[in-house]
Amino acid sequence: QAFVLRFPARTQSPETLAVSLLKRSKKRLIMILTFKQREDSQNITQEELNDFEALIGFTLPQDYRLHMFTHNGGVVNEDVKHINYPEGGEGISYFYEIKYGNYTIEQIFSNLKGKIPDGYLAIGSTDNCGHIIISLNNDNTYGNTKEWFPDGYIYDLSPSFTQLLNDMVLDEYID
């Protein structure tokens, strides 16, 4: 399978922002995954991204950093599932905003510190209310994404943020 990730030009309004994920599957399905900024959110600056990295003490993976600069989180408009979990539950629901929202990553980072695995950051939510976490560890797990639950259950999702987006398929196309 070939995957291409395209980011649209950045806009200043909280209108629907789109990321096109072109997927080639056995069925030649083309999927467009779109994100909408929450009404209480807005775009962030490079300085705000840098300040957030200083706050958490880690460098964000470049693909995730680009997504946050372009979208500052975002709600997924489509009903998607992770291709490796066809029974459901591991689809992206939304990504948390770094700033400018009711429930930001800065707040979540403070609330979950010491609860999620060391070196991981909660970046979003799955459709069954798990937290999407990304590894910021300086080892071979850097950039890996997982689904984490407060009861301690952890499921592997994808080896990178870009691959996480590419691993989403429309619920109706799961075999």
XYZ file of all heavy atoms in Angstrom, residues 1 21 29 32 55 66 71 79 83 87-88 90 95 105 111 123-124 129 131 144-145 147 152 162 165-167 172:
220
model
N 0.829 -1.182 0.000
C 0.000 0.000 0.000
C 0.871 1.242 0.000
O 1.889 1.297 0.669
C -0.888 0.043 1.235
C -1.936 -1.034 1.273
C -2.783 -0.922 2.529
O -2.367 -0.336 3.495
N -3.961 -1.498 2.461
N -5.752 12.118 3.080
C -4.960 10.898 3.137
C -5.373 10.053 1.940
O -6.497 9.576 1.878
C -5.238 10.129 4.423
C -4.894 10.859 5.708
C -5.324 10.010 6.899
C -3.414 11.127 5.761
N -9.676 2.313 -2.685
C -10.428 3.306 -1.936
C -9.604 4.573 -1.744
O -8.439 4.514 -1.389
C -10.791 2.733 -0.554
C -11.370 3.695 0.469
C -12.772 4.124 0.018
C -11.428 3.034 1.824
N -10.642 10.665 2.468
C -10.262 12.004 2.899
C -10.645 12.121 4.371
O -11.819 12.017 4.726
C -10.979 13.088 2.079
C -10.577 12.966 0.614
C -10.649 14.472 2.629
C -11.340 13.888 -0.306
N 7.818 23.432 28.281
C 7.009 23.074 29.448
C 7.086 21.584 29.750
O 7.260 21.183 30.902
C 5.544 23.480 29.226
C 4.536 22.984 30.266
C 4.690 23.784 31.559
C 3.122 23.083 29.730
N 3.834 19.442 12.978
C 3.229 20.068 11.801
C 1.698 20.025 11.895
O 1.025 21.017 11.591
C 3.702 19.391 10.520
C 3.107 19.918 9.217
C 3.418 21.403 9.027
C 3.641 19.113 8.038
N -3.358 22.622 12.643
C -4.723 22.417 13.135
C -4.933 22.732 14.610
O -6.078 22.894 15.019
C -5.150 20.963 12.910
C -5.110 20.544 11.495
N -6.043 20.935 10.561
C -4.230 19.762 10.830
C -5.748 20.401 9.399
N -4.654 19.696 9.525
N -16.410 8.832 10.651
C -16.450 7.704 11.574
C -15.392 6.717 11.103
O -15.604 5.970 10.144
C -17.842 7.068 11.562
C -17.972 5.944 12.572
O -17.128 5.845 13.500
O -18.915 5.147 12.438
N -7.186 0.348 11.198
C -7.196 -0.806 10.281
C -6.812 -2.106 10.983
O -7.255 -3.175 10.599
C -6.307 -0.520 9.044
C -6.627 -1.491 7.917
C -4.827 -0.529 9.425
C -6.091 -1.072 6.580
N -12.715 -4.586 14.958
C -13.875 -4.656 15.858
C -14.212 -3.295 16.441
O -15.253 -3.102 17.050
C -13.624 -5.662 16.994
C -12.547 -5.261 17.995
C -11.107 -5.495 17.516
O -10.897 -5.983 16.391
O -10.188 -5.169 18.279
N -13.356 -2.311 16.208
C -13.650 -0.934 16.612
C -13.032 -0.533 17.933
O -12.398 -1.320 18.617
N -10.670 1.850 18.396
C -9.388 2.528 18.298
C -9.353 3.577 17.191
O -8.307 3.988 16.741
C -8.252 1.514 18.106
C -7.874 0.766 19.371
C -8.915 -0.249 19.841
O -9.721 -0.728 19.018
O -8.932 -0.550 21.043
N -8.170 15.232 18.477
C -6.868 15.536 19.066
C -7.024 16.752 19.958
O -7.740 17.696 19.627
C -5.817 15.806 17.972
C -5.466 14.579 17.182
C -5.825 14.466 15.860
C -4.780 13.531 17.774
C -5.516 13.329 15.130
C -4.470 12.384 17.062
C -4.836 12.284 15.740
N -4.027 20.178 25.937
C -2.950 19.249 26.281
C -2.209 19.738 27.520
O -1.788 18.937 28.342
C -1.968 19.065 25.104
C -2.626 18.302 23.971
C -0.724 18.312 25.553
C -1.743 18.073 22.780
N -2.832 16.914 34.522
C -3.745 15.949 35.154
C -3.248 14.506 35.088
O -3.506 13.722 35.993
C -5.132 16.016 34.521
C -5.841 17.320 34.784
O -5.470 18.078 35.672
N -6.859 17.599 33.991
N -2.315 12.921 23.489
C -2.523 13.883 22.396
C -3.945 13.882 21.853
O -4.305 14.758 21.071
C -1.536 13.651 21.233
C -1.727 12.264 20.617
C -0.095 13.879 21.702
C -0.962 12.045 19.320
N -4.759 12.898 22.239
C -6.102 12.843 21.702
C -6.929 11.767 22.356
O -6.510 11.140 23.333
N -13.170 6.455 24.117
C -12.721 7.271 25.248
C -11.355 6.905 25.822
O -11.019 7.302 26.935
C -13.759 7.302 26.358
S -15.344 7.942 25.785
N -7.227 7.393 25.735
C -6.337 8.493 25.366
C -5.355 7.986 24.306
O -4.795 6.896 24.454
C -5.516 8.975 26.571
C -6.320 9.678 27.603
N -6.642 11.011 27.510
C -6.862 9.235 28.760
C -7.335 11.367 28.572
N -7.497 10.298 29.351
N 6.022 6.560 18.494
C 4.997 5.505 18.511
C 3.724 6.015 19.156
O 3.769 6.790 20.110
C 5.477 4.290 19.315
C 6.519 3.472 18.607
O 6.886 3.748 17.483
N 7.013 2.451 19.278
N 2.588 5.556 18.663
C 1.312 5.927 19.252
C 0.647 4.698 19.854
O 0.765 3.589 19.327
C 0.370 6.570 18.212
O 0.147 5.647 17.147
C 0.945 7.870 17.684
N -2.951 3.506 22.561
C -4.182 3.890 23.221
C -4.033 3.480 24.678
O -3.726 2.334 24.992
C -5.379 3.180 22.583
C -6.700 3.553 23.220
C -7.871 2.822 22.592
O -7.694 1.678 22.120
O -8.970 3.393 22.569
N -5.074 1.113 33.159
C -3.755 0.553 32.864
C -3.646 -0.184 31.551
O -2.550 -0.525 31.122
N 2.012 10.112 11.590
C 1.561 10.024 10.197
C 0.954 8.663 9.920
O -0.107 8.560 9.293
C 2.726 10.303 9.226
O 3.199 11.622 9.453
C 2.300 10.159 7.775
N -2.567 8.346 11.274
C -3.563 8.929 10.367
C -3.818 8.017 9.174
O -4.958 7.816 8.763
C -3.110 10.311 9.900
C -2.926 11.381 10.977
C -2.457 12.677 10.342
C -4.180 11.583 11.800
N -2.745 7.449 8.638
C -2.877 6.570 7.475
C -3.563 5.250 7.817
O -4.129 4.607 6.930
C -1.514 6.286 6.851
C -0.955 7.472 6.110
O -1.699 8.316 5.625
N 0.360 7.548 6.019
N -3.522 4.837 9.088
C -4.126 3.575 9.505
C -5.625 3.697 9.766
O -6.276 2.714 10.103
C -3.442 3.045 10.769
C -2.087 2.426 10.462
O -1.795 2.125 9.292
O -1.305 2.242 11.423
N -17.290 1.714 7.479
C -18.039 0.883 6.527
C -17.145 0.034 5.629
O -17.612 -0.885 4.983
C -18.953 1.754 5.669
C -18.177 2.782 4.840
C -19.076 3.876 4.311
O -19.518 4.726 5.106
O -19.310 3.868 3.086
